[in-house]
Amino acid sequence: MSWAQSFADFLIRMRNIRAWGAAIGLAGLLLWAWWQWPAERVSQEEIAAEVVSLSPPPAPQSKALMVMVVRLPDGRQWRLIVGDNTRPAPGSRVPLIHERYADGSESIVFDRQRWRVEGSP
């Protein structure tokens, strides 16, 4: 066997190893995606909540994200991250979208579009 043939065999083996690695990696990615599949949404409702606080306090020219703490109608407090041009005052009411899922989890999202168009509910 010549040196060139040995080198060609080595390159073929490396190509096959990379192909098997890619196939195993893609199969693992598909299994992970199947395992992480989100639960079915059971309900979605629009609610209004009172703003408890903003952190950090808004500066006039600030571009930083802020954490808005809201009090839900059932009394719980929830933290939401809001953008730089979203500055509801503490004590005002903001619209939220509340989603419940079949596995018991829930998601609450600030409805920025409705807040900018309609104002406080």
Side-chain angles (χ1 to χ4, degrees), residues 78-99:
W78 199 274
R79 293 176 121 126
L80 300 168
I81 296 176
V82 294
D84 59 340
N85 58 355
T86 306
R87 301 191 188 285
S92 65
R93 299 186 63 77
V94 293
L96 303 175
I97 298 173
H98 185 206
E99 297 177 341

Side-chain angles (χ1 to χ4, degrees), residues 45-105:
E45 61 182 335
E46 295 180 358
I47 59 174
E50 178 187 355
V51 177
V52 175
S53 67
L54 288 171
S55 172
Q61 301 291 47
S62 173
K63 294 276 185 187
L65 295 176
M66 299 183 322
V67 176
M68 176 173 61
V69 180
V70 296
R71 181 174 296 117
L72 301 177
D74 61 4
R76 294 183 295 159
Q77 290 191 354
W78 199 274
R79 293 176 121 126
L80 300 168
I81 296 176
V82 294
D84 59 340
N85 58 355
T86 306
R87 301 191 188 285
S92 65
R93 299 186 63 77
V94 293
L96 303 175
I97 298 173
H98 185 206
E99 297 177 341
R100 288 191 175 95
Y101 298 93
D103 64 354
S105 63

Side-chain angles (χ1 to χ4, degrees), residues 18-57:
R18 282 195 305 267
W20 275 104
I24 291 170
L26 286 174
L29 182 65
L30 286 173
L31 284 173
W32 174 81
W34 177 72
W35 181 58
Q36 291 294 322
W37 197 263
E40 182 180 351
R41 184 173 58 200
V42 176
S43 69
Q44 177 181 356
E45 61 182 335
E46 295 180 358
I47 59 174
E50 178 187 355
V51 177
V52 175
S53 67
L54 288 171
S55 172

Side-chain angles (χ1 to χ4, degrees), residues 1-10 12-13:
M1 186 182 273
S2 71
W3 180 87
Q5 184 61 43
S6 297
F7 187 66
D9 289 344
F10 172 75
I12 290 171
R13 262 188 257 118

